[in-house]
Amino acid sequence: MSGRRVAEAAAARGVAVSAGADFDPEGEDRGALRLSVSRVERESIERGVALLAEAVRETRARASVLESAPVV
Amino acid sequence: MTLDRASREPLSEQLFAAFAARIETGLFPAGARLPTTREVAGALAVNRGSVQAAYRRLRDEGFASTRVGSGTVVRADARRPKRFDASELVSRRASAIPAAAPPPVSAPMIADFSRLTPDERFFPLERFTQTLTEAWSRRPELWQYAPPLGLDELRVEISRRLAESGVTRSPEEILVTSGAQQGLDLVFRTFTDARDPVAMESPSYPGALALARFAGVEIVPMPMTPDGPDVTGLRGRRVKVVYVMPERQNPTGVTATEEKRREILEAAIDAGALVIEDGYEEPESGLTPLAARAPEQVVWLGTLSKDLVPGFRIGWLAAPRPVVERLALVKRTADFQTPLPLQAAIASFLRAGLDREARRARASEVETRRKEMSGARGRHLPDLSWRGGRAARSSG
């Protein structure tokens, strides 16, 4: 699964996360995200992660339609 | 304006191109009056007919217009067929720097999990302000050029701090930099040429990756494992620099184990590489830093950006004296010095222990957020795997 697509889908829902690709020496789109709690409001963590989960599900669904293959 | 008389391009064409470029770039703005054809012909020692031909073409192509009495004037709607485009001149090095990340948030911000900087609500602002004022008031020497390594009083404080982490460095072995980012930039500029091999953890800190790409070095990846970086890729080859974050690696949050620390150093020694140990946060694990194990081989990079005030851009590096002096020369070339009043302020912050106070003030809140985060992940994203402490990472 593309970490970058998840980060974009999350951004569209008002949730900022860093995509694994930003940390990859080759810029490869890793299936990874970095989540930091150093700036997030305590009260918005639950909602933020729920929206992130939505972004993950949306990305997965779209990826499986586009690629019609199971994604890791 | 220079003309090439040896060129096969007619002088009138050259004159036209020179005027058109000046209008396109805005050097000759709308409404500006061009010199008379007689003036141009005289100044450049060319036939007046060539200048008249050039001006005719400027009019024909919409760059200028001529009115009796006011001469030739740049049109307000001057055509800009091929506007000057600076992006065509961008160097390959600069093009290698990726665009800013993460993706912009288009909806109202609900939760920002993207930043790894201290929350300013926990800055002890009153004490900061007081310390700041004391640090730089009535000290005209702080408005002058600095000693090459940075302000003595700050290097003394840094030396003390390092000793507490087990790293023995005298103030003469410390160079104050504009953030740890400049420290790493100086190391790349001083110790690498384009295509030199540099080993980095994979994944690694984007700021370091950007610098490596800008320097044009070959990145030798050291894949992160739950114990720290895998250094097998270094075996049997020469490498110039090994860049690692043994303490809470960014982004994985992994702290390199005792064995891993030894492996990193042995691999670096065999590869003949200088090791950069990025201590972007003060060590918490109690494990001995690399810089304390192999002092001749390791450059320590320090900063208060993650614990105190990122906006101050004060960092430091600690290394053997010949290394520090070499880096100091490059630093002087880059920007002469890091602002002295800020160095004085940070020296006072450190002396008063304000960084630790700020950290303590944050600690329980951060711990609460971490627990909240871990619960939320379990509820909403149970099928992803998660790692790390402050910087958690998922894969799946």
Side-chain angles (χ1 to χ4, degrees), chain B residues 14 16 47 62 92 108 127 161 239 253 290 318 340 347 359 387:
Chain B
Q14 292 185 42
F16 165 74
N47 184 313
R92 272 193 295 276
R127 298 223 29 215
R161 270 307 159 89
V239 171
L290 306 183
L340 284 187
R359 197 188 173 99
R387 240 193 239 158

Side-chain angles (χ1 to χ4, degrees), chain B residues 97-98 180-186 188-189 192 200 205-217 219:
Chain B
I97 301 175
Q181 186 75 2
Q182 186 185 40
L184 187 54
D185 187 27
L186 294 177
F188 280 141
R189 288 178 191 231
T192 69
M200 300 177 86
Y205 165 56
L209 291 171
L211 281 175
R213 291 183 188 129
F214 188 65
V217 298
I219 298 175

Side-chain angles (χ1 to χ4, degrees), chain B residues 185-204:
Chain B
D185 187 27
L186 294 177
V187 170
F188 280 141
R189 288 178 191 231
T190 308
F191 293 102
T192 69
D193 289 298
R195 290 179 294 283
D196 278 347
V198 169
M200 300 177 86
E201 292 153 330
S202 175
S204 186

Side-chain angles (χ1 to χ4, degrees), chain B residues 245-376:
Chain B
M245 292 168 272
E247 201 82 17
R248 281 196 308 270
Q249 200 261 359
N250 183 6
T252 60
V254 167
T255 291
T257 60
E258 186 63 32
E259 293 76 1
K260 214 25 123 177
R261 289 173 190 233
R262 276 201 299 271
E263 270 178 45
I264 296 169
L265 284 173
E266 280 172 17
I269 288 166
D270 290 341
L274 185 67
V275 178
I276 314 303
E277 179 172 25
D278 187 338
Y280 74 95
E281 283 189 11
E282 204 177 355
E284 265 180 354
S285 69
L287 295 170
T288 309
L290 306 183
R293 294 167 194 252
E296 291 307 307
Q297 198 94 14
V298 180
V299 177
W300 171 272
L301 281 186
T303 177
L304 286 181
S305 295
K306 299 294 178 232
D307 268 336
L308 201 64
V309 275
F312 268 52
R313 306 310 307 142
I314 299 281
W316 52 85
L317 52 84
R321 205 159 165 179
V323 172
V324 160
E325 281 168 4
R326 185 63 78 163
L327 291 164
L329 276 179
V330 180
K331 154 91 180 161
R332 196 179 66 190
T333 311
D335 67 351
F336 278 113
Q337 70 186 40
T338 295
L340 284 187
L342 299 184
Q343 293 191 44
I346 294 285
S348 302
F349 288 178
L350 289 175
R351 206 177 300 122
L354 286 191
D355 57 322
R356 288 179 176 160
E357 198 175 297
R359 197 188 173 99
R360 269 196 303 275
R362 263 197 349 247
S364 73
E365 172 64 21
V366 167
E367 197 42 46
T368 310
R369 290 180 191 175
R370 253 185 238 178
K371 284 198 188 115
E372 183 76 25
M373 172 66 106
S374 132

